[in-house]
Amino acid sequence: MEDSMYQRLVVAEKRLAEIDAELATEDCVKDIKHFKEISKERANLDPQVEAFTRYKKMLEDLEGAKEMAYDSDPELAEMGKEEIKTLEASIEAVEAELKELLLPKDPNDDKNIIVEIRGAVGGDEANIFAGDLFRMYTRYAETQGWKIQILDETPSEAGGFSTISFKVSGKKVFSKLKFESGAHRVQRVPATEASGRIHTSTATVLVMPEAEEIDIEINPNDLQVDTYHSQGAGGQNVNKTESAVRITHIPTGTVVACQTEKSQIQNREIAMQMLRAKMYANKLAEQQEAIGNERKLKVGTGERSEKIRTYNYPQNRVTDHRIGFTVQKLDRIIEGDLDEVLDALIHYDQSMKMAGEQ
């Protein structure tokens, strides 16, 4: 292990001990904000220190095995040599684990997300595909034990949605789905196509980390709030009361709307969540641009013009163009079996980070 890496781990070990001592004090428990901050820091440091402890123990065991390898007893010497091989392989694996643990963490990885899917190029077929993507993410969320809450939707007469916004809540949601923003392309024969020709359509996906008020400040004077009658299913209140809410952030022209709840107050609260998420995502995009990040995978930018993935039905093929990843399992992926694709994206991003660190 490089000395610089070893010293970083020594510092992490010391800092974890300091945090544990501070968490045990009464003053820390009283300061809720500070308590949350250092608890989050501890959660980040703990796996590093745990792996570092294992690493140091293996080094000690390796020294013992080397001594055994030179024992006058041939049987003990052979055992020592075998132990050396096993420990060296384990030490190499832990070093790789520690390199990954020391990579810069995305502060948004633990956050819930707000997703917006829109039918783009392709008319009715694009809207139907938007509905397919929504079902794909919903089914994946179910396998992860995550919760889905629809925030706003505009169903398409032919099926699917011209636009749908929803919140995904659970453990490390953003860390798993943060690379889904962009244009998704589908190649297939539409159900409405009598001649059986393959059409190409697109839907855009925007994944935004949920933003709290402390993450983004919004001046109430910059907002234009409009109310209107809800559309579609929703019981007796639909089209009778102006429960639907549309909020426009005047300086940026950002518009959000919500009509899923019967109460105007609830719809306004949800719309504000959506607005904060959109403005936070824009803020992250500006930061990325300022940093000049050259990595292919841009977190939170939501670049809708960028074609990120193609779903080719005739060949049962899914291709992620950013990393050149192709797999012929479209039938499983569109039903929510996303792990192989998402893991490839996460692995690529970590590899780029490691290369940057080196």
Side-chain angles (χ1 to χ4, degrees):
M1 180 186 292
E2 294 178 2
D3 185 61
S4 59
M5 181 175 167
Y6 191 91
Q7 292 306 317
R8 285 177 67 186
L9 290 163
V10 170
V11 171
E13 194 174 42
K14 182 181 177 182
R15 177 57 184 154
L16 183 64
E18 291 172 350
I19 290 173
D20 283 342
E22 190 175 353
L23 285 170
T25 65
E26 189 176 338
D27 288 342
C28 180
V29 177
K30 288 179 179 177
D31 188 344
I32 301 299
K33 183 179 178 183
H34 181 62
F35 180 81
K36 286 183 177 179
E37 286 175 353
I38 65 170
S39 294
K40 190 173 182 179
E41 184 183 357
R42 191 195 188 286
N44 181 47
L45 290 172
D46 189 52
Q48 296 177 13
V49 174
E50 187 276 329
F52 186 43
T53 301
R54 281 190 282 121
Y55 175 79
K56 290 189 294 182
K57 177 66 167 61
M58 287 177 187
L59 289 181
E60 290 179 8
D61 292 344
L62 181 61
E63 289 303 313
K66 286 179 178 177
E67 289 181 13
M68 188 187 297
Y70 288 99
D71 196 277
S72 57
D73 185 331
E75 191 173 337
L76 280 176
E78 186 61 32
M79 286 174 61
K81 290 174 184 177
E82 289 299 318
E83 186 70 7
I84 288 171
K85 290 180 184 178
T86 302
L87 285 167
E88 285 179 342
S90 298
I91 287 169
E92 187 177 342
V94 175
E95 281 190 6
E97 180 186 348
L98 283 165
K99 282 182 182 178
E100 188 175 314
L101 287 169
L102 286 172
L103 290 175
K105 295 291 187 295
D106 187 332
N108 295 306
D109 274 352
D110 291 329
K111 290 190 174 185
N112 299 327
I113 61 172
I114 291 176
V115 184
E116 181 181 276
I117 304 176
R118 291 178 178 271
V121 179
D124 288 341
E125 174 63 10
N127 294 338
I128 292 170
F129 181 49
D132 293 339
L133 291 176
F134 171 65
R135 189 181 69 250
M136 177 181 77
Y137 291 127
T138 299
R139 293 188 175 178
Y140 179 70
E142 289 172 356
T143 67
Q144 301 298 304
W146 297 340
K147 180 183 175 184
I148 295 278
Q149 177 190 2
I150 295 177
L151 304 179
D152 192 45
E153 58 180 320
T154 305
S156 168
E157 289 185 8
F161 304 92
S162 60
T163 179
I164 181 166
S165 300
F166 55 99
K167 179 178 175 181
V168 187
S169 306
K171 186 177 181 181
K172 293 188 174 293
V173 178
F174 187 70
S175 70
K176 291 268 191 172
L177 296 179
K178 61 186 175 183
F179 301 124
E180 291 302 288
S181 290
H184 294 239
R185 181 175 69 172
V186 63
Q187 295 173 327
R188 64 185 176 189
V189 178
T192 54
E193 177 60 53
S195 62
R197 291 182 302 164
I198 295 174
H199 281 223
T200 299
S201 306
T202 58
T204 60
V205 176
L206 178 59
V207 176
M208 303 166 283
E210 185 181 25
E212 299 176 15
E213 291 186 31
I214 58 173
D215 294 321
I216 196 86
E217 291 185 11
I218 299 175
N219 187 340
N221 295 326
D222 290 338
L223 303 179
Q224 176 183 319
V225 182
D226 300 305
T227 58
Y228 56 99
H229 297 293
S230 296
Q231 306 275 322
Q236 296 179 350
N237 283 1
V238 175
N239 295 324
K240 290 187 179 181
T241 62
E242 292 192 345
S243 59
V245 175
R246 182 187 301 108
I247 300 178
T248 304
H249 185 251
I250 298 169
T252 61
T254 305
V255 180
V256 294
C258 182
Q259 59 176 348
T260 55
E261 305 297 327
K262 293 180 180 180
S263 161
Q264 185 184 116
I265 294 174
Q266 289 175 305
N267 283 330
R268 177 171 178 145
E269 185 179 331
I270 291 171
M272 284 301 297
Q273 286 182 30
M274 296 165 69
L275 180 62
R276 279 195 295 269
K278 280 198 171 185
M279 293 185 66
Y280 186 52
N282 290 336
K283 179 181 174 182
L284 292 175
E286 289 170 5
Q287 289 173 350
Q288 288 287 340
E289 191 173 345
I291 293 169
N293 192 341
E294 295 299 324
R295 283 188 292 126
K296 286 184 182 180
L297 302 179
K298 291 187 171 67
V299 179
T301 59
E303 293 178 354
R304 294 172 187 245
S305 61
E306 180 193 4
K307 178 187 69 180
I308 66 166
R309 191 175 300 148
T310 294
Y311 304 73
N312 184 297
Y313 274 74
Q315 297 179 22
N316 195 36
R317 186 184 73 232
V318 173
T319 299
D320 195 288
H321 304 286
R322 296 164 296 179
I323 60 174
F325 178 83
T326 297
V327 62
Q328 289 184 297
K329 298 177 182 178
L330 185 151
D331 54 335
R332 289 167 52 184
I333 289 168
I334 205 68
E335 292 300 321
D337 189 1
L338 277 168
D339 279 326
E340 191 170 352
V341 178
L342 299 180
D343 287 346
L345 288 163
I346 292 168
H347 177 73
Y348 177 87
D349 183 60
Q350 289 175 340
S351 299
M352 292 298 99
K353 284 179 180 176
M354 283 184 179
E357 285 282 294
Q358 293 168 1

